[in-house]
């Protein structure tokens, strides 16, 4: 179990602690998000994926991050309100975290080790980098910021069918 995502926990933006063991048997799509980014409209596509596939076992998990161009300056409650009002987001949003550097959230250290980026890079390059985790808690794929949510449907369907 120590080499799965289930060893981690994270804090929702409402202060509730979530243990990733709660997601055992589900497919996870984990995204570092920002409210003032050119990719912010992807919230719409992420919400559509969540609505379409959540009944089959998909969880979309949003981790706001302000490490890229100061594009997530808001407080946790402001981020939640922005996402709800503008994109009807109802998938879980967590407290703002760091995804790179010495203070990177442990779950992000795990994700980056599990799926390297372009040319083997471990760091997250920008907002809306996406990680897909299978039902066994293993990272299967990393997607660039430019990958639109609907471009991941085949990979999600494959993992849900396993």
């Amino acid at each position: 179990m120590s080499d799965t995502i289930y060893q981690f926990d994270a804090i929702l933006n409402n202060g509730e602690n979530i243990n990733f063991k709660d997601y055992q048997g589900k497919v996870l799509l984990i995204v570092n998000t920002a409210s003032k980014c050119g990719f912010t409209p992807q919230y719409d596509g992420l919400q559509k994926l969540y609505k379409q596939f959540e009944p089959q076992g998909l969880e979309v998990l949003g981790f706001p991050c302000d490490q890229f161009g100061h594009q997530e300056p808001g407080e946790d409650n402001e981020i939640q309100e922005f996402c709800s009002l503008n994109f009807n987001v109802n998938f879980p949003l967590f407290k703002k975290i760091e995804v790179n550097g010495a203070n990177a959230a442990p779950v992000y250290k795990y994700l980056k080790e599990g799926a390297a980026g372009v040319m083997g890079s471990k760091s997250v390059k920008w907002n809306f980098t996406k990680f897909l985790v299978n039902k066994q808690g293993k990272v299967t794929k990393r997607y660039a910021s430019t990958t639109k949510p609907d471009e991941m449907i085949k990979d999600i369907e494959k993992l849900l069918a396993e």
Side-chain angles (χ1 to χ4, degrees):
M1 168 99 69
S2 65
D3 60 344
T4 69
I5 201 163
Y6 306 133
Q7 63 191 303
F8 301 103
D9 59 339
I11 299 172
L12 287 172
N13 64 6
N14 67 5
E16 180 187 350
N17 189 65
I18 296 292
N19 189 304
F20 280 88
K21 286 180 188 161
D22 295 348
Y23 297 121
Q24 279 184 300
K26 296 193 176 232
V27 173
L28 306 178
L29 179 60
I30 301 174
V31 187
N32 63 301
T33 62
S35 299
K36 299 187 182 318
C37 175
F39 297 113
T40 300
Q42 286 190 21
Y43 269 126
D44 192 43
L46 293 168
Q47 178 59 34
K48 284 180 181 154
L49 284 179
Y50 184 61
K51 186 176 181 186
Q52 180 178 355
F53 293 108
E54 192 263 342
Q56 297 163 52
L58 175 71
E59 288 289 338
V60 176
L61 307 177
F63 284 88
C65 177
D66 193 36
Q67 286 187 291
F68 305 102
H70 195 51
Q71 294 182 343
E72 188 56 275
E75 297 298 321
D76 291 315
N77 62 332
E78 295 169 325
I79 295 166
Q80 178 72 51
E81 188 174 321
F82 171 85
C83 292
S84 297
L85 287 174
N86 293 286
F87 300 102
N88 295 314
V89 165
N90 67 352
F91 57 80
L93 289 172
F94 289 79
K95 283 198 162 300
K96 195 161 34 172
I97 62 160
E98 291 187 10
V99 298
N100 289 329
N103 296 321
V107 70
Y108 260 84
K109 290 178 183 174
Y110 171 80
L111 291 169
K112 294 184 300 184
E113 284 295 318
V118 177
M119 299 188 315
S121 168
K122 298 287 187 199
S123 66
V124 171
K125 296 289 186 231
W126 201 253
N127 304 310
F128 290 90
T129 296
K130 301 154 203 78
F131 291 90
L132 199 56
V133 177
N134 68 16
K135 292 178 183 177
Q136 292 74 44
K138 302 277 192 184
V139 184
T140 62
K141 199 157 182 185
R142 178 195 290 219
Y143 301 89
S145 303
T146 53
T147 304
K148 292 180 176 70
D150 64 358
E151 295 173 34
M152 299 181 288
I153 288 175
K154 280 190 172 50
D155 293 336
I156 291 168
E157 287 176 331
K158 182 177 177 236
L159 290 182
L160 287 171
E162 287 179 354

